[in-house]
Amino acid sequence: MSNEKNKSQNNLEIRRHSLEHVMVLAVRRLFDDKVLLGVGPVIENGFYQDFDRQFSESDFVRIEEEMKKIIKEDIKVELEYISIDEAIEFFEEKGQKYKVELLKDIKSKGSTKMNQESESEVVSGLLNEGKVSMYSFGAHKDLCRGPHVDSTGELVGMSFKLDRIAGAYWRGDEKNKMLTRIYALAFEAEDDMELFLERREQAKLRDHKKLGKEMELFMFHETSPGAPYWLPRGMAMLNELMRYWRDEHAKRGYDEVSSPLINKSDLYKTSGHWDHYKDSMFIADMGENEVYGLKPMNCPNAMIIFGSRLRSYKELPLRLSDVDRLHRYEQSGELNGLFRVRAFAQDDSHNFISEEMIKDEVREVLSIVDDFYGVFGLKDNVKLYLATRPDDFMGDVKSWDKAEKELSELLEESDFKHGLKDKDGAFYGPKIDIYLSDSLGREWQCGTIQLDFQQPKNFKLEYVDKDGSRRQPVVIHRVVYGSLERFMGILIEHFAGSFPAWVAPVQVRILPINDDVVNYAKDVQTQILNSAFAQGITARVEVDDRSETLQSKIRDAAELKVPYTLIVG
């Protein structure tokens, strides 16, 4: 992202944040000057504010009109710093118990101990002098990290709209009181607002949960929340994705493996994942000090395979691909169709190389990315981000610097759009993240290319080099599709169910005009299947022999988004 774009985005966030305060002032003027306030951060496309008061969407027009008046009044925005004790006293006098609770939590624990990310967005935290920032928008004075506009008049021309109401437990804890959250949209201009609203309506029509049900691709059931059932048509698509994946990787020297889905906790303690992922794992305590976990990632098992015998430098690069099913215990409130699930597979591979091979191997992986997204016509929708060394990195700086330099050079020489995510690498190595923009302009993270200097060390992996010495390999963790479930969800919404013919769940549907020609229709089906088989292709052809009118069959085929419909008779 360019500096100019960063600056523009920062300005928009400041203006959105200022509009949130304007909304609160409007509410106080119209309804209750002493209304109790929760938190109110900026979010994507706008902001929200929590109130300890009931509202309905019928109130939105009045609030919006009052906000426009406040903007026209050009009220000066003032900032002051006061001690935490003074702030507590101020809000106690105002009866703002939620602000008092936050401030006392800051005082005792520090701003880094806030219960929710949104809280740290609202409060400034402890300053060097032990003071906090307070902003005044006319009669409305509130604790806030800022920054804000200098006066409300600077918000003239902003396009905003109160969007919806939701319930939100105070501090995200269901034991606390349910507050009323008002969500709002805010953009620099009316055109931006109209484009967003248009895309949102399109997103509703393209919702993969809706289309997945209509097209009979997948389903969920309460007996296994977050774990999709793949129905025959959806399974056909998954199999086609994996057929292409297997064929292309076999050509490139990849060896597919499979490993146990249930492993002792010792495996994850060795890899270092136990401390980081334990709370997101399905764990079974078998007694007698036997604790097992369902596999949440493939990498520790790949280390076991590499270390099962002494390797030679001649075996490198050793590319072990794996599409085993993985399980992660996502919170129920975070589950979202195929985008956030508890059971999934990903097109994984762990490529074991020498440090000298890093550049050539990543270049080869990037060529796979090129092919895989290109086959869907999505190459121009891909953007790669280099994520560099974080503050808590492990290993030596020299290896990190060399790897980051080589990855940066590869991105420069590629024809992919690319950007930088400073200090966003994993603690064990830099990475390249693969982002895909869909037809509505939404950006999704799909695959990743991750260098790892640490896990081979944890598992004491070695290979025999040319001179007979023992060396530690470097591992490249890489996925191209990413989670297959998530990738399928993205494809469904991007293409609105009208998939490229090669991956469509049903490629051809044959419609006999009456019962007399059903056998002929099935003969045509057989001819197509045999012709495809002779060319090494798996075709997906259906005959619609239901006792329905031809018009009804044509309509149903269109609703199922079948690429080719043949009418015979």
Side-chain angles (χ1 to χ4, degrees):
M1 185 182 289
S2 68
N3 289 336
E4 195 60 37
K5 190 172 181 180
N6 266 322
K7 183 178 179 181
S8 174
Q9 182 62 30
N10 289 339
N11 286 339
L12 179 56
E13 288 184 4
I14 290 169
R15 290 155 72 80
R16 283 173 171 163
H17 203 169
S18 302
L19 270 173
E20 179 262 319
H21 287 258
V22 169
M23 181 183 74
V24 175
L25 178 56
V27 167
R28 292 182 61 183
R29 283 184 178 184
L30 291 171
F31 300 97
D32 185 354
D33 186 52
K34 297 181 179 179
V35 62
L36 298 183
L37 305 176
V39 297
V42 173
I43 56 174
E44 185 179 15
N45 303 313
F47 56 88
Y48 71 74
Q49 173 66 51
D50 292 343
F51 298 92
D52 190 352
R53 187 190 190 282
Q54 292 298 313
F55 292 95
S56 69
E57 293 187 5
S58 61
D59 297 319
F60 283 1
V61 173
R62 290 180 63 200
I63 297 172
E64 288 172 355
E65 288 302 316
E66 190 65 28
M67 289 174 68
K68 292 174 184 176
K69 290 179 183 178
I70 293 169
I71 290 172
K72 287 182 180 178
E73 290 171 15
D74 195 20
I75 297 171
K76 185 178 180 182
V77 178
E78 298 180 337
L79 165 65
E80 64 176 318
Y81 294 98
I82 62 176
S83 70
I84 289 183
D85 289 335
E86 289 175 313
I88 291 173
E89 183 180 354
F90 173 82
F91 286 111
E92 282 179 337
E93 289 177 358
K94 298 292 183 182
Q96 294 288 345
K97 61 181 182 180
Y98 300 115
K99 302 293 183 181
V100 172
E101 181 180 325
L102 280 181
L103 285 163
K104 287 183 176 179
D105 217 14
I106 296 169
K107 183 178 179 180
S108 62
K109 300 177 182 178
S111 60
T112 58
K113 302 295 184 180
M114 294 294 93
N115 289 1
Q116 289 186 297
E117 184 178 341
S118 58
E119 292 178 3
S120 61
E121 284 291 302
V122 175
V123 300
S124 62
L126 288 168
L127 302 181
N128 291 334
E129 299 83 5
K131 294 184 177 181
V132 293
S133 52
M134 300 278 284
Y135 282 86
S136 296
F137 283 67
H140 173 52
K141 185 175 182 179
D142 202 357
L143 173 74
C144 190
R145 64 175 175 84
H148 292 292
V149 295
D150 293 330
S151 70
T152 61
E154 293 181 31
L155 302 175
V156 171
M158 284 281 288
S159 178
F160 60 88
K161 171 184 174 63
L162 302 194
D163 191 38
R164 59 190 172 92
I165 286 175
Y169 290 110
W170 168 237
R171 309 195 80 173
D173 188 340
E174 61 185 15
K175 296 177 183 177
N176 291 335
K177 186 172 182 180
M178 175 79 77
L179 305 182
T180 300
R181 177 171 294 176
I182 297 180
Y183 284 95
L185 303 173
F187 295 92
E188 289 286 9
E190 188 63 33
D191 289 348
D192 298 328
M193 176 72 80
E194 290 177 0
L195 177 61
F196 171 80
L197 293 174
E198 180 184 342
R199 284 180 169 177
R200 188 166 71 173
E201 286 304 307
Q202 279 292 315
K204 290 179 183 178
L205 297 175
R206 293 168 179 263
D207 185 349
H208 74 281
K209 297 185 288 295
K210 171 177 174 288
L211 290 176
K213 181 178 181 180
E214 293 173 354
M215 299 179 70
E216 298 182 8
L217 301 178
F218 64 90
M219 59 173 274
F220 290 91
H221 194 269
E222 61 187 12
T223 53
S224 187
Y229 280 72
W230 287 104
L231 304 178
R233 289 180 178 135
M235 198 67 209
M237 287 188 69
L238 272 182
N239 284 338
E240 191 62 31
L241 290 178
M242 291 315 305
R243 182 202 61 77
Y244 175 72
W245 180 85
R246 286 190 167 98
D247 288 349
E248 290 301 310
H249 281 75
K251 295 175 188 176
R252 296 170 183 265
Y254 281 73
D255 296 308
E256 187 173 349
V257 298
S258 182
S259 56
L261 300 185
I262 302 176
N263 300 274
K264 287 186 177 182
S265 60
D266 294 348
L267 177 69
Y268 304 111
K269 290 174 182 176
T270 301
S271 69
H273 288 99
W274 191 251
D275 292 336
H276 296 282
Y277 284 93
K278 179 183 176 183
D279 292 341
S280 297
M281 291 175 63
F282 288 91
I283 297 172
D285 188 341
M286 307 305 293
E288 299 181 358
N289 297 318
E290 293 283 319
V291 179
Y292 287 77
L294 267 177
K295 183 165 64 172
M297 72 286 293
N298 291 312
C299 39
N301 298 87
M303 307 299 150
I304 295 293
I305 294 174
F306 184 92
S308 61
R309 64 173 174 81
L310 186 60
R311 305 283 176 174
S312 165
Y313 72 94
K314 293 182 179 180
E315 297 179 72
L316 306 184
L318 179 63
R319 302 167 177 137
L320 303 179
S321 59
D322 189 339
V323 287
D324 284 341
R325 190 138 295 274
L326 305 175
H327 293 80
R328 295 181 186 175
Y329 187 67
E330 304 286 359
Q331 297 299 310
S332 58
E334 296 177 336
L335 298 177
N336 179 17
L338 297 179
F339 292 154
R340 197 72 177 264
V341 291
R342 288 174 174 169
F344 64 99
Q346 56 186 26
D347 61 318
D348 230 337
S349 180
H350 296 88
N351 300 4
F352 296 84
I353 59 175
S354 68
E355 194 167 329
E356 294 77 21
M357 294 177 177
I358 289 176
K359 195 168 186 179
D360 286 340
E361 188 66 10
V362 173
R363 181 184 287 113
E364 172 65 16
V365 174
L366 288 175
S367 74
I368 297 176
V369 175
D370 192 314
D371 290 346
F372 271 56
Y373 286 90
V375 78
F376 293 100
L378 296 173
K379 166 72 182 297
D380 292 339
N381 296 59
V382 172
K383 186 171 183 178
L384 307 180
Y385 288 91
L386 172 61
T388 58
R389 182 173 67 242
D391 293 331
D392 60 346
F393 75 96
M394 298 185 71
D396 67 280
V397 173
K398 185 177 179 182
S399 294
W400 273 86
D401 287 345
K402 180 175 181 292
E404 288 179 4
K405 180 175 183 293
E406 291 179 342
L407 294 182
S408 179
E409 289 171 351
L410 286 170
L411 290 180
E412 288 296 333
E413 72 180 44
S414 78
D415 55 358
F416 284 106
K417 292 175 285 188
H418 56 274
L420 178 67
K421 288 189 170 184
D422 192 32
K423 296 186 177 183
D424 201 41
F427 67 90
Y428 48 76
K431 62 178 179 174
I432 294 174
D433 287 331
I434 303 167
Y435 280 77
L436 175 67
S437 294
D438 66 13
S439 57
L440 297 181
R442 299 170 300 183
E443 193 172 59
W444 307 91
Q445 183 175 356
C446 294
T448 190
I449 306 167
Q450 171 72 66
L451 293 185
D452 185 355
F453 304 107
Q454 192 60 36
Q455 280 202 55
K457 182 178 180 180
N458 293 348
F459 284 90
K460 298 180 172 58
L461 302 185
E462 292 181 330
Y463 67 90
V464 180
D465 207 359
K466 293 178 182 179
D467 60 2
S469 63
R470 303 288 183 93
R471 293 187 62 188
Q472 179 182 299
V474 176
V475 176
I476 297 177
H477 307 248
R478 44 116 293 185
V479 288
V480 180
Y481 291 139
S483 159
L484 290 173
E485 280 70 12
R486 193 161 190 255
F487 190 74
M488 278 280 286
I490 294 169
L491 288 183
I492 292 169
E493 297 201 359
H494 176 78
F495 290 110
S498 298
F499 305 106
W502 73 275
V503 77
V506 179
Q507 296 166 313
V508 181
R509 205 171 211 206
I510 303 172
L511 313 182
I513 61 172
N514 55 47
D515 291 344
D516 295 337
V517 293
V518 168
N519 288 336
Y520 173 62
K522 291 182 177 179
D523 183 53
V524 172
Q525 178 189 34
T526 301
Q527 290 181 52
I528 295 173
L529 292 173
N530 288 341
S531 176
F533 180 77
Q535 299 176 62
I537 300 171
T538 301
R540 295 178 291 283
V541 186
E542 291 182 352
V543 174
D544 186 352
D545 57 359
R546 296 174 301 155
S547 299
E548 301 285 349
T549 65
L550 182 60
Q551 283 300 113
S552 176
K553 292 179 180 181
I554 292 172
R555 183 184 65 248
D556 291 346
E559 288 180 354
L560 287 173
K561 321 254 186 210
V562 179
Y564 298 101
T565 301
L566 305 183
I567 299 173
V568 299

